[in-house]
Structure formats: C-alpha cells, structure tokens
Amino acid sequence: ALVTARFELRDDAKDLGERALHELASAARRDPDATFTAWREAGSTRYLALVVEPDVEALRQMLAPHLAGEVTITRHELVTSSDLARRHRRPR
C-alpha cells in the first residue's frame, strides 16, 4: 500500500528534520518491500512523503520534534501506472 504523508517542518528545525527524513530513507533501503521518497515544496518547509510499506508510527515519532503541525497520512490504492510491465501495454 502507498501512503502519503504531508507535513511542515519548523523553520528552525528544517536541517534536523531533513536529517530525520534521510534516516527514514536509509531504513527503507534496508527493507526490500519498502520505499520512501520525500519532496519539499519549492521555497518552503512543506513536504510530501511517498511511502510504500510504511511504518507510520516511526515516521511520526522521528519527525515529531521538528514539526510545525500534524502529519496528515492518506492511504492510497493503485489504479494504474506507467511502471507496469510491458505485457500490460497494447501493441502499437
């Protein structure tokens, strides 16, 4: 399952918060079923993380000291993707 996490870091905690995000990505690399990608809105401290096989509680705990508010978690279901195997595509 894919989960999106939307959150904002405090201005004074941006560097530490981003370090926590790097730690979460490193942990995901060690898990063959997990993926963690974080995006920052250009010029701001608002973030969107895309997480497959998430440990949502770990995400909240690691970011908690750096947050400017709450983490909003949304669970998603796959409908389709350009990454699907070629056998799923129609011949040209």
Side-chain angles (χ1 to χ4, degrees), residues 3-82:
V3 166
T4 57
R6 294 178 185 275
F7 53 92
E8 185 168 359
L9 298 177
R10 294 188 332 268
D11 286 333
D12 66 326
K14 181 181 171 197
D15 291 339
L16 291 172
E18 287 191 0
R19 189 172 304 153
L21 293 172
H22 288 292
E23 289 177 27
L24 288 163
S26 293
R29 279 187 217 99
R30 292 187 295 273
D31 181 344
D33 296 323
T35 303
F36 182 89
T37 304
W39 296 81
R40 181 178 58 236
E41 187 177 307
S44 82
T45 56
R46 290 185 295 269
Y47 294 77
L48 170 66
L50 308 173
V51 191
V52 175
E53 295 302 326
D55 181 347
V56 172
E57 196 52 40
L59 174 73
R60 283 190 168 121
Q61 287 178 4
M62 287 192 76
L63 292 176
H66 317 295
L67 292 173
E70 296 294 317
V71 177
T72 302
I73 301 290
T74 306
R75 297 188 185 283
H76 302 272
E77 299 172 340
L78 178 64
V79 174
T80 190
S81 170
S82 62

